[in-house]
Amino acid sequence: MAKISKKTLTKSFHHWYYGNLTCFSQEHMQTFGYLASMLPIVEELYDKKEDQARSMHTYTAFFNTEPQLGALVVGITAGLEEARANGAEEVNDETINGLRAGLMGPVAGIGDSLIVGTLIPIILGIALGLSNGGSPLGAIFYIVVWNLLAYLGMRFAYFKGYELGDKAVEFLVGPQGQAIRKSISIIGGMVIGAVAATWVPVKTAFELKNAKGEAFLKLQDQLDGVYPGLLTAAFIVLCWWLMAKKNLSPIKVMLLLVVIAFVGVLVGFFNPGLKY
């Protein structure tokens, strides 16, 4: 009975960890990274070159998902490949690629919300706080913590996927998986809002003065009395709308913000010397 060794599983995981975006392109996305991760598995399970070639051909199909949580899918297919090598008739190219295609979306949904939308903003928020005054501690904190969490989390997902096999599919695409994706999306939105409110303060210097030159109305004070952070929220929503609805690239949005800031300073709406 063919059995994948712990050493080979670890090698396969490292191939995915370091190379999940290998030869990344719009046509193939993570396909070649997937091929690289499955190569040690196939080489250990099959002695004949033709059997190795047949199995590797299975993983030439298009693949793209969130790379950190996507390690779970690689682990699952490693277990399925082991079952196929041991003569499981129900496991074939169609089964494996059907499972991969079916898991890409749910895993991406959970991974993007959990990692990109929640975990990374939290770590960045802490790192920014540690970077006050130009301290390098924030950058060091982010590099160390992110790499540790990414490595250990991906390793856990890979080996858990290998252990669970196709049992993980029902959990990820079933009602429980849908509830998890919805919950994480809500938490991710809250985290993004909190980070934006803390680190993206937008304030106005606009004020009305009387004949003596004394300010009798400061717009920022009025806004803070009604809705603190209103301008920040407006700018965040504007950026989201431009990128999500108008398909503008982040670079174009940043250039637009520079123009808005420049014009705002010229007309007196923003104060270039205002300390936040």
Side-chain angles (χ1 to χ4, degrees):
M1 179 177 177
K3 180 71 175 177
I4 305 173
S5 66
K6 181 71 175 291
K7 180 180 178 181
T8 299
L9 287 171
T10 301
K11 185 177 181 180
S12 170
F13 160 70
H14 283 150
H15 281 196
W16 176 255
Y17 176 73
Y18 291 113
N20 55 74
L21 299 179
T22 299
C23 300
F24 188 89
S25 69
Q26 294 301 315
E27 181 181 0
H28 299 289
M29 296 293 186
Q30 297 169 343
T31 300
F32 294 115
Y34 210 118
L35 281 168
S37 66
M38 291 304 297
L39 183 59
I41 303 292
V42 170
E43 287 179 337
E44 181 169 274
L45 290 175
Y46 304 99
D47 295 325
K48 297 180 179 179
K49 293 295 183 182
E50 53 268 28
D51 291 337
Q52 293 178 1
R54 180 211 66 200
S55 294
M56 288 302 295
H57 182 73
T58 304
Y59 305 102
T60 58
F62 175 86
F63 184 78
N64 185 51
T65 190
E66 198 285 317
Q68 277 72 49
L69 194 59
L72 180 71
V73 184
V74 185
I76 291 173
T77 50
L80 292 177
E81 192 62 57
E82 183 181 82
R84 177 161 70 171
N86 285 297
E89 297 181 358
E90 68 275 12
V91 181
N92 51 37
D93 289 2
E94 184 178 351
T95 303
I96 294 175
N97 279 325
L99 181 143
R100 293 202 308 155
L103 287 180
M104 283 193 299
V107 168
I110 295 175
D112 287 342
S113 300
L114 178 63
I115 297 171
V116 181
T118 304
L119 179 61
I120 291 179
I122 290 175
I123 300 176
L124 280 174
I126 297 173
L128 287 170
L130 294 173
S131 298
N132 283 337
S135 171
L137 189 60
I140 296 172
F141 170 84
Y142 180 80
I143 293 171
V144 172
V145 172
W146 164 244
N147 280 283
L148 277 176
L149 290 178
Y151 180 84
L152 295 176
M154 290 174 71
R155 184 182 177 89
F156 174 81
Y158 179 93
F159 281 93
K160 181 57 67 174
Y162 171 73
E163 177 186 334
L164 293 176
D166 57 0
K167 295 178 182 177
V169 178
E170 182 178 354
F171 175 77
L172 288 172
V173 302
Q176 287 180 317
Q178 294 176 2
I180 290 174
R181 289 195 294 276
K182 184 175 181 180
S183 300
I184 293 175
S185 296
I186 294 173
I187 295 173
M190 294 172 63
V191 170
I192 292 295
V195 171
T198 303
W199 296 107
V200 191
V202 180
K203 296 183 179 180
T204 178
F206 181 81
E207 58 185 22
L208 295 178
K209 298 181 180 180
N210 55 27
K212 297 180 180 180
E214 299 172 344
F216 65 89
L217 185 147
K218 293 184 178 181
L219 180 57
Q220 187 61 52
D221 292 341
Q222 300 300 314
L223 293 176
D224 289 342
V226 177
Y227 190 148
L230 177 61
L231 290 179
T232 296
F235 269 79
I236 296 297
V237 172
L238 173 64
C239 293
W240 167 81
W241 180 75
L242 290 172
M243 290 187 288
K245 301 300 182 181
K246 295 300 181 180
N247 296 319
L248 289 184
S249 67
I251 294 178
K252 291 181 180 179
V253 173
M254 285 189 287
L255 290 175
L256 178 60
L257 292 179
V258 170
V259 173
I260 293 174
F262 181 75
V263 174
V265 170
L266 287 180
V267 301
F269 192 79
F270 299 126
N271 184 350
L274 190 62
K275 294 183 179 180
Y276 300 136

